[in-house]
Amino acid sequence: MFERGLLVHYHEIGLKGKNRGRFERQLVRNLQTAAGGLTGGTVSRFASRLFVPITDEDALEALIERVARTPGVSYLGDAYVASRLPDDMARAALHALRVESERRGGAATFAIDARRSATDHPESSMEINRRVGAYVQAETGLAVNLGAPDVTVRIEVVQGDTYVYARRVEGAGGLPIGASGRVVSLLSAGIDSPVATWRMMKRGATVTAVHFSGRPQTDAASEHLVADICRTLGGWGGVDALVVVPFGDLQREIALACPPDLRVLLYRRLMVRVAETIAGRAGARALVTGESLGQVASQTLDNIAVVDAVANMPVLRPLIGMDKQEIIAEAQALGTYEISTQSHDDCCTLFMPRTPETHATVAQVEAGEVDLDLERMVSDALALAETVGLK
Ligand code: ATP
Ligand code: MG
């Protein structure tokens, strides 16, 4: 039988000039981590492709999902490895077609799509298509349909071998995590910030997640949900640390000392100060939030400016121009929506005023904050912060 594995293609990292080797090695490491206990083999790299050996067929679906979800992967094929000998190549194509058509519950038409990266191969791609197509047709009786085949069998002639696959799965795209440095993501148990976090992971950022919980004024439900979200987004890499800050007493302090309509903004400004200290310690270069312009009262341009005014590092908002429906669809595809819609107390709704300020000014919030001992509050928050294990 044929050796089998996932043949992984990447796209954007192929374009990165002198960084290319570094990005590729990073993707190899990430795939090795993602594949974890699901493969007994080692990920290898050759001719602008990566190969993840399949050693346990029972783990195949889980392996495909993990690999496809790894940022940097453009698409993958569930591939059989054959030699470059014509008969071997043709038998691999027949086998791949049979396995895929069984998986789909049948197929009536097929096409062969060959390409050669090894230019020393004697047959042209066209010749391979015709020869292997004729063989598969004779063996199966299926019709060739080049326009809209039920199954396309792809043959890639690479260096010494041929990789043959009939099942192609689209990947996450983007850049390998670890290629773009570290960010601190302000992660609530809501719908938006998990999507924002994922978008940064997809651009190659490693994430330290920081969650402010309402504890001790609320229970710890949101903390468990956020830990679950981190695992769903990539507990095998990507989000590699979760810091939980019990924030309820500090919110209470703000609620008692400050104008009610500014509460949410003052919570946010304190969150940014605390998160920035955590970021400094973790070597992160930016904060990330799940805000989208105008979605709620605190996300007007004026209020965003008021929160940004306390930040010393960039606050990235990858969802700023997205509609709620688009964000929900992405959360559903990621698997975080189900977690975010479970009931929990959100710390921001603690001591919520009836009419929050929608167009605050920096002078107004600074005046609202004068009675707070901010330095002590930040150090209280840091003293209470706990790092949660994600494994
Ligand atoms: P989300 O769905 O991400 O909670 P939201 O639409 O509820 O967002 P807000 O409650 O205004 O919006 O929060 C805006 C952003 O502030 C969030 O996306 C998140 O990045 C950050 N944030 C809010 N609450 C918390 C929290 N408890 N812990 C950490 N970050 C938070
Ligand atoms: Mg929220």
Side-chain angles (χ1 to χ4, degrees):
M1 254 306 129
F2 301 100
E3 187 194 341
R4 188 177 182 184
L6 303 181
L7 184 71
V8 175
H9 283 258
Y10 42 89
H11 177 58
E12 204 166 345
I13 45 180
L15 306 174
K16 292 282 174 182
K18 63 183 175 18
N19 282 330
R20 178 170 165 166
R22 184 170 67 85
F23 284 22
E24 288 172 341
R25 284 190 294 278
Q26 182 73 54
L27 185 55
V28 168
R29 283 197 293 277
N30 295 355
L31 285 177
Q32 194 71 57
T33 311
L38 301 172
T39 178
T42 306
V43 178
S44 56
R45 167 165 76 115
F46 52 86
S48 299
R49 293 160 175 82
L50 305 176
F51 186 75
V52 185
I54 295 167
T55 53
D56 172 9
E57 270 206 49
D58 294 337
L60 178 64
E61 294 307 317
L63 182 65
I64 288 178
E65 196 191 320
R66 284 267 184 110
V67 170
R69 268 282 281 270
T70 300
V73 171
S74 168
Y75 64 93
L76 63 88
D78 173 6
Y80 298 91
V81 188
S83 72
R84 281 216 231 160
L85 296 173
D87 287 355
D88 210 24
M89 203 187 276
R91 283 191 299 109
L94 177 63
H95 184 66
L97 175 66
R98 285 192 167 137
V99 171
E100 178 58 6
S101 91
E102 189 176 324
R103 192 185 71 85
R104 292 162 167 246
T109 61
F110 75 97
I112 307 289
D113 179 6
R115 32 173 165 151
R116 301 179 316 163
S117 309
T119 45
D120 62 338
H121 191 72
E123 270 181 312
S124 73
S125 304
M126 251 345 198
E127 285 164 345
I128 297 174
N129 289 344
R130 284 205 203 95
R131 177 177 61 77
V132 175
Y135 172 80
V136 169
Q137 193 171 24
E139 290 289 323
T140 60
L142 298 183
V144 173
N145 177 340
L146 299 180
D150 291 340
V151 176
T152 301
V153 183
R154 294 184 168 85
I155 299 178
E156 298 185 16
V157 183
V158 178
Q159 294 174 358
D161 296 307
T162 305
Y163 293 80
V164 180
Y165 57 95
R167 179 178 180 192
R168 173 185 154 134
V169 179
E170 295 308 306
L175 298 172
I177 288 167
S180 307
R182 181 175 292 277
V183 297
V184 158
S185 186
L186 279 78
L187 192 59
S188 73
I191 295 165
D192 305 327
S193 42
V195 176
T197 304
W198 167 249
R199 290 210 156 200
M200 296 308 299
M201 290 166 63
K202 235 178 89 163
R203 295 311 303 166
T206 309
V207 178
T208 298
V210 176
H211 174 64
F212 295 89
S213 94
R215 204 158 42 92
Q217 305 287 336
T218 66
D219 63 18
S222 71
E223 299 170 26
H224 301 306
L225 295 177
V226 167
D228 237 13
I229 286 168
C230 290
R231 286 186 206 103
T232 303
L233 287 177
W236 62 91
V239 184
D240 63 356
L242 166 62
V243 180
V244 168
V245 182
F247 202 54
D249 285 344
L250 292 165
Q251 287 180 272
R252 187 159 177 277
E253 210 177 319
I254 292 173
L256 291 174
C258 307
D261 55 343
L262 296 180
R263 271 176 205 163
V264 176
L265 292 172
L266 301 185
Y267 298 161
R268 279 293 144 68
R269 280 163 62 96
L270 184 57
M271 281 184 190
V272 165
R273 292 177 174 107
V274 173
E276 228 172 36
T277 313
I278 294 171
R281 292 176 182 177
R285 306 293 303 276
L287 304 182
V288 177
T289 77
E291 286 155 311
S292 129
L293 186 61
Q295 195 187 89
V296 292
S298 59
Q299 299 175 15
T300 62
L301 283 178
D302 289 328
N303 286 356
I304 285 173
V306 154
V307 174
D308 269 8
V310 292
N312 293 305
M313 52 176 75
V315 180
L316 307 178
R317 297 180 168 87
L319 311 187
I320 196 72
M322 284 178 77
D323 293 344
K324 192 73 186 187
Q325 283 314 315
E326 296 173 297
I327 298 169
I328 288 175
E330 200 161 318
Q332 283 169 332
L334 286 169
T336 56
Y337 183 77
E338 252 174 62
I339 306 170
S340 298
T341 45
Q342 290 175 37
S343 79
H344 62 274
D345 287 314
D346 183 297
C347 79
C348 287
T349 55
L350 269 183
F351 318 110
M352 190 66 169
R354 212 166 302 154
T355 51
E357 176 60 66
T358 50
H359 298 283
T361 63
V362 172
Q364 191 186 352
V365 290
E366 281 176 353
E369 263 173 5
V370 284
D371 292 332
L372 298 177
D373 180 354
L374 289 164
E375 217 169 294
R376 196 257 313 144
M377 291 173 90
V378 170
S379 76
D380 280 1
L382 292 169
L384 291 168
E386 302 154 25
T387 298
V388 176
L390 293 174
K391 290 284 181 268

